[in-house]
Amino acid sequence: MKNEKINEAYNSYVEARIPKTKAWPSLFNSFWVGGLICLIGQGINDLIIYIFPSMSQQSAWAWTLIILIFLASLLTGLGVYDKIGKFAGGGSIVPITGFSNSIASPAIEYKHEGIIYGTCVKMFSIAGPVIVTGIVASIVVGIIYFIIGLF
Amino acid sequence: MQTIEFKSKPKIIGSYSIVGPKEGKGPFGSFFDYVMKSDGFGEKTYEMAERKMFEQAVTGAIQNAGLHSGDIDLLLAGDLLNQIISSSFTARAYEFPYLGVFSACSTMAESLATGAILINAGHFHNVACATGSHFSTAERQFRFPLELGNQRVPTSQWTATAAGACVLSLEGEGPVVSMATFGKVIDYGITDVNNMGAAMAPSAADTIYTHLNETGRKPSDYDLILTGDLGKLGAEILIDLLEGRGVKLGPNYSDCGHCYYSRKQDTMCGASGCGVSASVLNSYIIKKLKAKKFKRILFVPTGALMSTTATQQGESIPGISHAIVLEAGGD
């Protein structure tokens, strides 16, 4: 039998005792690592334009993303990205490199369950919700855009 | 009554502990029988590494008891992986019968208590008890891939890579298993899987309270009261909960999970997993009991009976704790 009152009292007691994450140091580390990743991205973009002056900005952006995604996957495989993530938290999760890490890490983790049931099935187990949210949001925005266009 | 007394005094005549490299660097490092050089233990998968660790613990305990595999009547074992595969798959390497037991991280106590009952009743002579856990297999089953770059919350605990086994018998020398108190499943509605200490503390409090009540003993009747893997926060909560019921735990209280790693090892609230209490019992505790440094111990491993499915469906985490009284014996 669950006793709602005891549970409520216990939960609020526990809540009061929980050690809190130190917000400012975590935010600081998130901020500068996240900023550094963006700076590296901008640097790659500028370098591409410098080496290939005839390339369109659109293509340069695409190449920048590809390079960032590759680098993050490589660092994941080398066992470095999880250490960056432990230090920087959101700073290394939010940029596209974090997305790359969230796909590469289950791909590595589940390779022993086979290519289909392991790698392929589990690959999107963490990034999946992000992709679904993105697609659903774009559908909603598309419908709104369509309705506005009618008037 | 939840407490049983074993009149025939079953003894732990052999024990063995094996841990991973990180655990070997912790405060108990020098007490363990074997420290693995890597978490992979030379195996293809971490599940196979866990099994190899398990098998080494069982074989080591039998050898340390001065027995052979043929002398063992029964193996009682359990672990954290789905369908307790580490225990069951380990058992196929042996010629003796096997019973799988599960009460999450309280499994060491459940197997010891069950073994003691079977021996006390005269059904078996030598019973092996074992349990273990592995950081990498537990992470993938309960949490995230190892290489995912996320942060751990301050209440989280680190699943230990460790296994422990022992052999119970009426013949031979060793610490006596004199009593056992089986615990009730207690759930105070904690749903946060990153706060297992808080989920398990009420069950530990209930089992310890019931044990003291039924035996008429006080906490000071024990040289050590040792819970399993409540961790720093869970241990503090347990002290509070028992104080609320009129039982004051003194400096003779400790928690394996809380002191399993050193501060520098950055494990937040400490260690968790079946292997924590199993490896501490089958190394440090048994050695201290044999040396008569401790005369009587209350050993209370704690288990969080959670499953990823139930958690995702919003269920709270039930806790369970069984208690065992160990005595140095031999007066």
Side-chain angles (χ1 to χ4, degrees):
Chain A
M1 272 292 283
K2 284 186 179 179
N3 190 326
E4 296 298 328
K5 267 200 181 142
I6 294 179
N7 289 3
E8 231 170 77
Y10 184 66
N11 268 278
S12 50
Y13 156 80
V14 169
E15 195 56 42
R17 288 213 70 137
I18 285 178
K20 299 286 178 288
T21 310
K22 287 180 189 124
W24 289 109
S26 334
L27 285 174
F28 178 74
N29 289 338
S30 280
F31 189 79
W32 79 259
V33 175
L36 184 69
I37 292 171
C38 297
L39 194 70
I40 292 167
Q42 188 63 45
I44 293 169
N45 178 70
D46 291 357
L47 195 67
I48 292 168
I49 299 279
Y50 179 76
I51 298 170
F52 308 100
S54 58
M55 191 185 278
S56 71
Q57 183 59 60
Q58 290 282 339
S59 308
W61 277 335
W63 278 106
T64 304
L65 294 182
I66 290 167
I67 291 167
L68 281 177
I69 289 169
F70 168 75
L71 286 176
S73 299
L74 184 70
L75 289 176
T76 303
L78 294 173
V80 177
Y81 205 89
D82 62 318
K83 293 184 178 70
I84 300 172
K86 194 184 165 206
F87 176 76
S92 58
I93 292 172
V94 177
I96 197 160
T97 50
F99 195 70
S100 166
N101 169 252
S102 75
I103 292 175
S105 58
I108 298 167
E109 182 79 30
Y110 294 100
K111 69 172 195 277
H112 291 302
E113 278 79 15
I115 289 175
I116 293 173
Y117 291 108
T119 304
C120 295
V121 170
K122 300 279 190 175
M123 207 171 197
F124 294 94
S125 56
I126 293 157
V130 182
I131 297 170
V132 173
T133 312
I135 293 170
V136 171
S138 64
I139 292 169
V140 173
V141 170
I143 292 169
I144 295 170
Y145 188 74
F146 172 74
I147 294 170
I148 292 173
L150 291 178
F151 303 103
Chain B
M1 286 286 275
Q2 288 166 240
T3 306
I4 306 166
E5 195 176 348
F6 305 114
K7 294 260 165 25
S8 64
K9 295 189 188 300
K11 296 176 212 57
I12 297 176
I13 58 164
S15 64
Y16 192 91
S17 55
I18 171 171
V19 298
K22 184 182 173 106
E23 291 68 22
K25 292 190 187 92
F28 292 108
S30 59
F31 291 96
F32 299 127
D33 290 283
Y34 189 87
V35 178
M36 290 147 59
K37 284 181 189 69
S38 77
D39 267 0
F41 211 11
E43 294 293 302
K44 209 175 115 203
T45 70
Y46 288 122
E47 283 74 12
M48 287 161 85
E50 180 171 334
R51 209 172 301 152
K52 187 176 170 186
M53 196 170 78
F54 221 98
E55 203 174 313
Q56 186 164 325
V58 174
T59 303
I62 297 170
Q63 277 171 0
N64 286 347
L67 299 174
H68 299 285
S69 166
D71 300 322
I72 302 297
D73 301 314
L74 180 72
L75 170 67
L76 287 162
D79 57 275
L80 292 180
L81 298 189
N82 293 336
Q83 288 79 44
I84 53 169
I85 52 168
S86 299
S87 311
S88 312
F89 287 29
T90 295
R92 74 184 167 184
Y94 298 102
E95 290 290 318
F96 41 76
Y98 154 76
L99 282 180
V101 288
F102 180 81
S103 51
C105 308
S106 192
T107 300
M108 194 68 229
E110 184 179 349
S111 60
L112 270 175
T114 313
I117 289 170
L118 295 172
I119 287 179
N120 196 50
H123 298 302
F124 297 101
H125 293 289
N126 304 311
V127 175
C129 306
T131 187
S133 54
H134 194 297
F135 172 75
S136 305
T137 60
E139 280 300 297
R140 72 188 332 226
Q141 181 174 302
F142 294 105
R143 286 172 280 270
F144 296 112
L146 295 176
E147 298 304 331
L148 185 72
N150 58 347
Q151 283 180 325
R152 306 175 80 86
V153 298
T155 52
S156 67
Q157 288 169 260
W158 188 276
T159 308
T161 301
C166 57
V167 177
L168 280 174
S169 180
L170 290 181
E171 269 100 63
E173 290 300 311
V176 174
V177 180
S178 63
M179 283 183 182
T181 303
F182 286 112
K184 289 179 272 193
V185 174
I186 306 234
D187 188 340
Y188 278 6
I190 295 287
T191 50
D192 182 4
V193 287
N194 287 314
N195 193 359
M196 289 190 292
M200 299 187 291
S203 74
D206 190 78
T207 302
I208 294 173
Y209 180 82
T210 307
H211 173 82
L212 297 174
N213 209 14
E214 290 183 349
T215 56
R217 287 180 180 169
K218 306 181 293 296
S220 57
D221 290 332
Y222 292 99
D223 297 320
L224 180 68
I225 295 176
L226 188 68
T227 48
D229 55 355
L230 291 177
K232 185 175 182 292
L233 179 65
E236 288 168 7
I237 294 174
L238 172 70
I239 293 171
D240 270 11
L241 287 174
L242 279 176
E243 209 167 289
R245 292 171 83 164
V247 176
K248 199 159 166 48
L249 290 179
N252 61 340
Y253 167 66
S254 189
D255 178 73
C256 301
H258 181 29
C259 42
Y260 201 70
Y261 295 109
S262 65
R263 288 250 170 97
K264 273 187 234 151
Q265 288 180 298
D266 194 23
T267 54
M268 301 299 178
C269 264
S272 71
C274 299
V276 177
S277 54
S279 61
V280 172
L281 173 79
N282 291 301
S283 59
Y284 179 79
I285 298 296
I286 298 219
K287 280 172 187 161
K288 292 285 173 187
L289 282 166
K290 277 187 178 165
K292 314 272 187 210
K293 297 277 182 207
F294 294 134
K295 290 213 170 62
R296 193 195 269 165
I297 286 177
L298 186 64
F299 174 64
V300 196
T302 46
L305 301 169
M306 59 172 190
S307 95
T308 45
T309 310
T311 305
Q312 283 164 3
Q313 292 175 356
E315 290 255 16
S316 53
I317 305 163
I320 188 155
S321 310
H322 303 299
I324 300 279
V325 177
L326 292 159
E327 290 179 30
D331 298 310

PDB file of all heavy atoms in Angstrom, chain B residues 263-294:
ATOM      1  N   ARG B 263      37.786  10.374  -2.297  1.00  0.00           N
ATOM      2  CA  ARG B 263      37.161  11.633  -2.729  1.00  0.00           C
ATOM      3  C   ARG B 263      37.610  12.047  -4.120  1.00  0.00           C
ATOM      4  O   ARG B 263      36.837  12.542  -4.923  1.00  0.00           O
ATOM      5  CB  ARG B 263      37.528  12.741  -1.741  1.00  0.00           C
ATOM      6  CG  ARG B 263      36.824  12.602  -0.418  1.00  0.00           C
ATOM      7  CD  ARG B 263      35.780  13.713  -0.230  1.00  0.00           C
ATOM      8  NE  ARG B 263      34.961  13.415   0.942  1.00  0.00           N
ATOM      9  CZ  ARG B 263      35.177  13.938   2.142  1.00  0.00           C
ATOM     10  NH1 ARG B 263      36.130  14.818   2.317  1.00  0.00           N
ATOM     11  NH2 ARG B 263      34.416  13.601   3.163  1.00  0.00           N
ATOM     12  N   LYS B 264      38.918  11.845  -4.359  1.00  0.00           N
ATOM     13  CA  LYS B 264      39.512  12.279  -5.637  1.00  0.00           C
ATOM     14  C   LYS B 264      38.908  11.538  -6.828  1.00  0.00           C
ATOM     15  O   LYS B 264      39.009  11.996  -7.955  1.00  0.00           O
ATOM     16  CB  LYS B 264      41.025  12.006  -5.610  1.00  0.00           C
ATOM     17  CG  LYS B 264      41.827  13.141  -4.992  1.00  0.00           C
ATOM     18  CD  LYS B 264      43.320  12.843  -5.165  1.00  0.00           C
ATOM     19  CE  LYS B 264      44.008  12.913  -3.823  1.00  0.00           C
ATOM     20  NZ  LYS B 264      45.182  12.061  -3.711  1.00  0.00           N
ATOM     21  N   GLN B 265      38.304  10.382  -6.587  1.00  0.00           N
ATOM     22  CA  GLN B 265      37.832   9.565  -7.705  1.00  0.00           C
ATOM     23  C   GLN B 265      36.536  10.082  -8.309  1.00  0.00           C
ATOM     24  O   GLN B 265      36.039   9.528  -9.273  1.00  0.00           O
ATOM     25  CB  GLN B 265      37.718   8.093  -7.286  1.00  0.00           C
ATOM     26  CG  GLN B 265      39.092   7.473  -7.124  1.00  0.00           C
ATOM     27  CD  GLN B 265      39.033   6.008  -6.709  1.00  0.00           C
ATOM     28  OE1 GLN B 265      38.530   5.675  -5.646  1.00  0.00           O
ATOM     29  NE2 GLN B 265      39.533   5.129  -7.553  1.00  0.00           N
ATOM     30  N   ASP B 266      35.994  11.148  -7.729  1.00  0.00           N
ATOM     31  CA  ASP B 266      34.915  11.907  -8.352  1.00  0.00           C
ATOM     32  C   ASP B 266      33.701  11.035  -8.711  1.00  0.00           C
ATOM     33  O   ASP B 266      33.329  10.929  -9.868  1.00  0.00           O
ATOM     34  CB  ASP B 266      35.464  12.595  -9.611  1.00  0.00           C
ATOM     35  CG  ASP B 266      34.508  13.662 -10.128  1.00  0.00           C
ATOM     36  OD1 ASP B 266      33.700  14.148  -9.320  1.00  0.00           O
ATOM     37  OD2 ASP B 266      34.576  13.990 -11.329  1.00  0.00           O
ATOM     38  N   THR B 267      33.126  10.379  -7.708  1.00  0.00           N
ATOM     39  CA  THR B 267      31.986   9.508  -7.984  1.00  0.00           C
ATOM     40  C   THR B 267      30.705  10.065  -7.358  1.00  0.00           C
ATOM     41  O   THR B 267      29.762   9.344  -7.114  1.00  0.00           O
ATOM     42  CB  THR B 267      32.227   8.093  -7.431  1.00  0.00           C
ATOM     43  OG1 THR B 267      32.544   8.210  -6.043  1.00  0.00           O
ATOM     44  CG2 THR B 267      33.359   7.410  -8.149  1.00  0.00           C
ATOM     45  N   MET B 268      30.680  11.350  -7.113  1.00  0.00           N
ATOM     46  CA  MET B 268      29.513  12.023  -6.519  1.00  0.00           C
ATOM     47  C   MET B 268      29.178  11.418  -5.143  1.00  0.00           C
ATOM     48  O   MET B 268      29.923  11.595  -4.225  1.00  0.00           O
ATOM     49  CB  MET B 268      28.302  11.968  -7.467  1.00  0.00           C
ATOM     50  CG  MET B 268      28.568  12.613  -8.802  1.00  0.00           C
ATOM     51  SD  MET B 268      28.971  14.367  -8.622  1.00  0.00           S
ATOM     52  CE  MET B 268      29.295  14.820 -10.313  1.00  0.00           C
ATOM     53  N   CYS B 269      28.050  10.642  -5.060  1.00  0.00           N
ATOM     54  CA  CYS B 269      27.630  10.138  -3.748  1.00  0.00           C
ATOM     55  C   CYS B 269      28.295   8.822  -3.359  1.00  0.00           C
ATOM     56  O   CYS B 269      28.006   8.252  -2.314  1.00  0.00           O
ATOM     57  CB  CYS B 269      26.117   9.999  -3.691  1.00  0.00           C
ATOM     58  SG  CYS B 269      25.350  11.449  -2.931  1.00  0.00           S
ATOM     59  N   GLY B 270      29.161   8.284  -4.222  1.00  0.00           N
ATOM     60  CA  GLY B 270      29.854   7.046  -3.885  1.00  0.00           C
ATOM     61  C   GLY B 270      29.560   5.916  -4.855  1.00  0.00           C
ATOM     62  O   GLY B 270      29.195   6.152  -6.001  1.00  0.00           O
ATOM     63  N   ALA B 271      29.688   4.680  -4.370  1.00  0.00           N
ATOM     64  CA  ALA B 271      29.552   3.513  -5.232  1.00  0.00           C
ATOM     65  C   ALA B 271      28.168   2.890  -5.111  1.00  0.00           C
ATOM     66  O   ALA B 271      27.478   3.072  -4.113  1.00  0.00           O
ATOM     67  CB  ALA B 271      30.598   2.479  -4.860  1.00  0.00           C
ATOM     68  N   SER B 272      27.759   2.164  -6.158  1.00  0.00           N
ATOM     69  CA  SER B 272      26.554   1.348  -6.076  1.00  0.00           C
ATOM     70  C   SER B 272      26.808   0.054  -6.832  1.00  0.00           C
ATOM     71  O   SER B 272      27.833  -0.105  -7.483  1.00  0.00           O
ATOM     72  CB  SER B 272      25.354   2.099  -6.659  1.00  0.00           C
ATOM     73  OG  SER B 272      25.484   2.189  -8.046  1.00  0.00           O
ATOM     74  N   GLY B 273      25.866  -0.863  -6.747  1.00  0.00           N
ATOM     75  CA  GLY B 273      26.020  -2.137  -7.437  1.00  0.00           C
ATOM     76  C   GLY B 273      26.196  -3.291  -6.462  1.00  0.00           C
ATOM     77  O   GLY B 273      26.696  -3.107  -5.358  1.00  0.00           O
ATOM     78  N   CYS B 274      25.758  -4.492  -6.917  1.00  0.00           N
ATOM     79  CA  CYS B 274      25.870  -5.693  -6.081  1.00  0.00           C
ATOM     80  C   CYS B 274      27.294  -5.925  -5.613  1.00  0.00           C
ATOM     81  O   CYS B 274      27.528  -6.425  -4.512  1.00  0.00           O
ATOM     82  CB  CYS B 274      25.517  -6.937  -6.896  1.00  0.00           C
ATOM     83  SG  CYS B 274      23.878  -6.956  -7.550  1.00  0.00           S
ATOM     84  N   GLY B 275      28.246  -5.593  -6.484  1.00  0.00           N
ATOM     85  CA  GLY B 275      29.644  -5.898  -6.200  1.00  0.00           C
ATOM     86  C   GLY B 275      30.212  -5.117  -5.032  1.00  0.00           C
ATOM     87  O   GLY B 275      31.196  -5.534  -4.424  1.00  0.00           O
ATOM     88  N   VAL B 276      29.615  -3.979  -4.709  1.00  0.00           N
ATOM     89  CA  VAL B 276      30.157  -3.126  -3.649  1.00  0.00           C
ATOM     90  C   VAL B 276      30.156  -3.865  -2.316  1.00  0.00           C
ATOM     91  O   VAL B 276      31.212  -4.136  -1.730  1.00  0.00           O
ATOM     92  CB  VAL B 276      29.361  -1.807  -3.529  1.00  0.00           C
ATOM     93  CG1 VAL B 276      29.883  -0.975  -2.378  1.00  0.00           C
ATOM     94  CG2 VAL B 276      29.433  -1.028  -4.819  1.00  0.00           C
ATOM     95  N   SER B 277      28.957  -4.222  -1.833  1.00  0.00           N
ATOM     96  CA  SER B 277      28.885  -4.887  -0.535  1.00  0.00           C
ATOM     97  C   SER B 277      29.512  -6.281  -0.603  1.00  0.00           C
ATOM     98  O   SER B 277      30.142  -6.731   0.350  1.00  0.00           O
ATOM     99  CB  SER B 277      27.436  -4.973  -0.053  1.00  0.00           C
ATOM    100  OG  SER B 277      26.631  -5.577  -1.024  1.00  0.00           O
ATOM    101  N   ALA B 278      29.360  -6.953  -1.761  1.00  0.00           N
ATOM    102  CA  ALA B 278      29.918  -8.306  -1.895  1.00  0.00           C
ATOM    103  C   ALA B 278      31.439  -8.286  -1.797  1.00  0.00           C
ATOM    104  O   ALA B 278      32.033  -9.122  -1.110  1.00  0.00           O
ATOM    105  CB  ALA B 278      29.487  -8.922  -3.215  1.00  0.00           C
ATOM    106  N   SER B 279      32.074  -7.324  -2.458  1.00  0.00           N
ATOM    107  CA  SER B 279      33.536  -7.296  -2.439  1.00  0.00           C
ATOM    108  C   SER B 279      34.070  -6.806  -1.092  1.00  0.00           C
ATOM    109  O   SER B 279      35.123  -7.239  -0.652  1.00  0.00           O
ATOM    110  CB  SER B 279      34.080  -6.439  -3.584  1.00  0.00           C
ATOM    111  OG  SER B 279      33.632  -5.111  -3.472  1.00  0.00           O
ATOM    112  N   VAL B 280      33.341  -5.901  -0.439  1.00  0.00           N
ATOM    113  CA  VAL B 280      33.794  -5.426   0.883  1.00  0.00           C
ATOM    114  C   VAL B 280      33.646  -6.549   1.910  1.00  0.00           C
ATOM    115  O   VAL B 280      34.548  -6.824   2.700  1.00  0.00           O
ATOM    116  CB  VAL B 280      33.014  -4.167   1.330  1.00  0.00           C
ATOM    117  CG1 VAL B 280      33.356  -3.796   2.767  1.00  0.00           C
ATOM    118  CG2 VAL B 280      33.326  -2.995   0.412  1.00  0.00           C
ATOM    119  N   LEU B 281      32.508  -7.255   1.859  1.00  0.00           N
ATOM    120  CA  LEU B 281      32.292  -8.365   2.795  1.00  0.00           C
ATOM    121  C   LEU B 281      33.356  -9.437   2.629  1.00  0.00           C
ATOM    122  O   LEU B 281      33.959  -9.879   3.605  1.00  0.00           O
ATOM    123  CB  LEU B 281      30.902  -8.991   2.560  1.00  0.00           C
ATOM    124  CG  LEU B 281      30.656 -10.267   3.360  1.00  0.00           C
ATOM    125  CD1 LEU B 281      30.291  -9.942   4.792  1.00  0.00           C
ATOM    126  CD2 LEU B 281      29.587 -11.139   2.726  1.00  0.00           C
ATOM    127  N   ASN B 282      33.571  -9.832   1.361  1.00  0.00           N
ATOM    128  CA  ASN B 282      34.465 -10.964   1.110  1.00  0.00           C
ATOM    129  C   ASN B 282      35.941 -10.590   1.102  1.00  0.00           C
ATOM    130  O   ASN B 282      36.781 -11.389   0.704  1.00  0.00           O
ATOM    131  CB  ASN B 282      34.066 -11.645  -0.204  1.00  0.00           C
ATOM    132  CG  ASN B 282      32.729 -12.348  -0.059  1.00  0.00           C
ATOM    133  OD1 ASN B 282      32.581 -13.233   0.775  1.00  0.00           O
ATOM    134  ND2 ASN B 282      31.747 -11.926  -0.827  1.00  0.00           N
ATOM    135  N   SER B 283      36.263  -9.401   1.514  1.00  0.00           N
ATOM    136  CA  SER B 283      37.673  -9.044   1.659  1.00  0.00           C
ATOM    137  C   SER B 283      37.869  -8.463   3.056  1.00  0.00           C
ATOM    138  O   SER B 283      38.159  -9.181   4.013  1.00  0.00           O
ATOM    139  CB  SER B 283      38.069  -8.019   0.591  1.00  0.00           C
ATOM    140  OG  SER B 283      37.274  -6.847   0.698  1.00  0.00           O
ATOM    141  N   TYR B 284      37.637  -7.170   3.160  1.00  0.00           N
ATOM    142  CA  TYR B 284      37.873  -6.420   4.394  1.00  0.00           C
ATOM    143  C   TYR B 284      37.167  -7.022   5.612  1.00  0.00           C
ATOM    144  O   TYR B 284      37.793  -7.321   6.630  1.00  0.00           O
ATOM    145  CB  TYR B 284      37.425  -4.978   4.169  1.00  0.00           C
ATOM    146  CG  TYR B 284      37.577  -4.075   5.364  1.00  0.00           C
ATOM    147  CD1 TYR B 284      38.816  -3.546   5.703  1.00  0.00           C
ATOM    148  CD2 TYR B 284      36.477  -3.753   6.155  1.00  0.00           C
ATOM    149  CE1 TYR B 284      38.956  -2.719   6.797  1.00  0.00           C
ATOM    150  CE2 TYR B 284      36.613  -2.930   7.258  1.00  0.00           C
ATOM    151  CZ  TYR B 284      37.856  -2.418   7.581  1.00  0.00           C
ATOM    152  OH  TYR B 284      37.989  -1.607   8.672  1.00  0.00           O
ATOM    153  N   ILE B 285      35.842  -7.219   5.500  1.00  0.00           N
ATOM    154  CA  ILE B 285      35.045  -7.647   6.654  1.00  0.00           C
ATOM    155  C   ILE B 285      35.478  -9.025   7.156  1.00  0.00           C
ATOM    156  O   ILE B 285      35.717  -9.233   8.345  1.00  0.00           O
ATOM    157  CB  ILE B 285      33.538  -7.663   6.294  1.00  0.00           C
ATOM    158  CG1 ILE B 285      33.067  -6.255   5.912  1.00  0.00           C
ATOM    159  CG2 ILE B 285      32.692  -8.215   7.430  1.00  0.00           C
ATOM    160  CD1 ILE B 285      33.158  -5.251   7.034  1.00  0.00           C
ATOM    161  N   ILE B 286      35.594  -9.983   6.226  1.00  0.00           N
ATOM    162  CA  ILE B 286      35.943 -11.339   6.629  1.00  0.00           C
ATOM    163  C   ILE B 286      37.355 -11.372   7.224  1.00  0.00           C
ATOM    164  O   ILE B 286      37.602 -12.043   8.235  1.00  0.00           O
ATOM    165  CB  ILE B 286      35.776 -12.303   5.438  1.00  0.00           C
ATOM    166  CG1 ILE B 286      34.306 -12.262   5.046  1.00  0.00           C
ATOM    167  CG2 ILE B 286      36.322 -13.691   5.756  1.00  0.00           C
ATOM    168  CD1 ILE B 286      33.641 -13.500   4.658  1.00  0.00           C
ATOM    169  N   LYS B 287      38.259 -10.604   6.621  1.00  0.00           N
ATOM    170  CA  LYS B 287      39.637 -10.572   7.153  1.00  0.00           C
ATOM    171  C   LYS B 287      39.654  -9.992   8.564  1.00  0.00           C
ATOM    172  O   LYS B 287      40.358 -10.477   9.441  1.00  0.00           O
ATOM    173  CB  LYS B 287      40.545  -9.763   6.227  1.00  0.00           C
ATOM    174  CG  LYS B 287      40.972 -10.591   5.020  1.00  0.00           C
ATOM    175  CD  LYS B 287      41.722  -9.801   3.964  1.00  0.00           C
ATOM    176  CE  LYS B 287      41.932 -10.698   2.748  1.00  0.00           C
ATOM    177  NZ  LYS B 287      42.232  -9.989   1.539  1.00  0.00           N
ATOM    178  N   LYS B 288      38.873  -8.934   8.786  1.00  0.00           N
ATOM    179  CA  LYS B 288      38.832  -8.306  10.116  1.00  0.00           C
ATOM    180  C   LYS B 288      38.146  -9.223  11.143  1.00  0.00           C
ATOM    181  O   LYS B 288      38.536  -9.241  12.311  1.00  0.00           O
ATOM    182  CB  LYS B 288      38.090  -6.961  10.060  1.00  0.00           C
ATOM    183  CG  LYS B 288      38.828  -5.896   9.283  1.00  0.00           C
ATOM    184  CD  LYS B 288      40.005  -5.352  10.071  1.00  0.00           C
ATOM    185  CE  LYS B 288      40.824  -4.414   9.214  1.00  0.00           C
ATOM    186  NZ  LYS B 288      42.065  -3.982   9.843  1.00  0.00           N
ATOM    187  N   LEU B 289      37.134  -9.959  10.702  1.00  0.00           N
ATOM    188  CA  LEU B 289      36.464 -10.901  11.606  1.00  0.00           C
ATOM    189  C   LEU B 289      37.404 -12.035  11.982  1.00  0.00           C
ATOM    190  O   LEU B 289      37.467 -12.458  13.131  1.00  0.00           O
ATOM    191  CB  LEU B 289      35.197 -11.464  10.966  1.00  0.00           C
ATOM    192  CG  LEU B 289      33.949 -10.562  10.968  1.00  0.00           C
ATOM    193  CD1 LEU B 289      32.898 -11.108  10.021  1.00  0.00           C
ATOM    194  CD2 LEU B 289      33.368 -10.425  12.372  1.00  0.00           C
ATOM    195  N   LYS B 290      38.156 -12.522  10.990  1.00  0.00           N
ATOM    196  CA  LYS B 290      39.105 -13.617  11.249  1.00  0.00           C
ATOM    197  C   LYS B 290      40.186 -13.164  12.210  1.00  0.00           C
ATOM    198  O   LYS B 290      40.633 -13.922  13.055  1.00  0.00           O
ATOM    199  CB  LYS B 290      39.745 -14.073   9.925  1.00  0.00           C
ATOM    200  CG  LYS B 290      38.871 -15.061   9.162  1.00  0.00           C
ATOM    201  CD  LYS B 290      39.635 -15.586   7.975  1.00  0.00           C
ATOM    202  CE  LYS B 290      38.829 -16.605   7.210  1.00  0.00           C
ATOM    203  NZ  LYS B 290      39.416 -16.844   5.874  1.00  0.00           N
ATOM    204  N   ALA B 291      40.607 -11.893  12.064  1.00  0.00           N
ATOM    205  CA  ALA B 291      41.647 -11.351  12.947  1.00  0.00           C
ATOM    206  C   ALA B 291      41.071 -10.904  14.291  1.00  0.00           C
ATOM    207  O   ALA B 291      41.793 -10.367  15.124  1.00  0.00           O
ATOM    208  CB  ALA B 291      42.341 -10.189  12.258  1.00  0.00           C
ATOM    209  N   LYS B 292      39.764 -11.122  14.469  1.00  0.00           N
ATOM    210  CA  LYS B 292      39.036 -10.749  15.703  1.00  0.00           C
ATOM    211  C   LYS B 292      39.054  -9.238  15.974  1.00  0.00           C
ATOM    212  O   LYS B 292      38.893  -8.818  17.119  1.00  0.00           O
ATOM    213  CB  LYS B 292      39.595 -11.491  16.938  1.00  0.00           C
ATOM    214  CG  LYS B 292      39.819 -12.965  16.740  1.00  0.00           C
ATOM    215  CD  LYS B 292      38.593 -13.780  17.060  1.00  0.00           C
ATOM    216  CE  LYS B 292      38.926 -15.267  16.999  1.00  0.00           C
ATOM    217  NZ  LYS B 292      37.857 -16.130  16.618  1.00  0.00           N
ATOM    218  N   LYS B 293      39.297  -8.441  14.934  1.00  0.00           N
ATOM    219  CA  LYS B 293      39.233  -6.982  15.096  1.00  0.00           C
ATOM    220  C   LYS B 293      37.774  -6.575  15.298  1.00  0.00           C
ATOM    221  O   LYS B 293      37.484  -5.596  15.964  1.00  0.00           O
ATOM    222  CB  LYS B 293      39.790  -6.273  13.854  1.00  0.00           C
ATOM    223  CG  LYS B 293      41.239  -6.545  13.596  1.00  0.00           C
ATOM    224  CD  LYS B 293      42.160  -5.651  14.422  1.00  0.00           C
ATOM    225  CE  LYS B 293      43.609  -5.941  14.075  1.00  0.00           C
ATOM    226  NZ  LYS B 293      44.514  -5.629  15.186  1.00  0.00           N
ATOM    227  N   PHE B 294      36.893  -7.311  14.646  1.00  0.00           N
ATOM    228  CA  PHE B 294      35.459  -7.149  14.859  1.00  0.00           C
ATOM    229  C   PHE B 294      34.953  -8.446  15.472  1.00  0.00           C
ATOM    230  O   PHE B 294      35.374  -9.522  15.057  1.00  0.00           O
ATOM    231  CB  PHE B 294      34.710  -6.928  13.538  1.00  0.00           C
ATOM    232  CG  PHE B 294      35.049  -5.648  12.838  1.00  0.00           C
ATOM    233  CD1 PHE B 294      35.308  -5.649  11.466  1.00  0.00           C
ATOM    234  CD2 PHE B 294      35.070  -4.436  13.511  1.00  0.00           C
ATOM    235  CE1 PHE B 294      35.606  -4.473  10.803  1.00  0.00           C
ATOM    236  CE2 PHE B 294      35.368  -3.252  12.853  1.00  0.00           C
ATOM    237  CZ  PHE B 294      35.632  -3.268  11.498  1.00  0.00           C
TER     238      PHE B 294
END
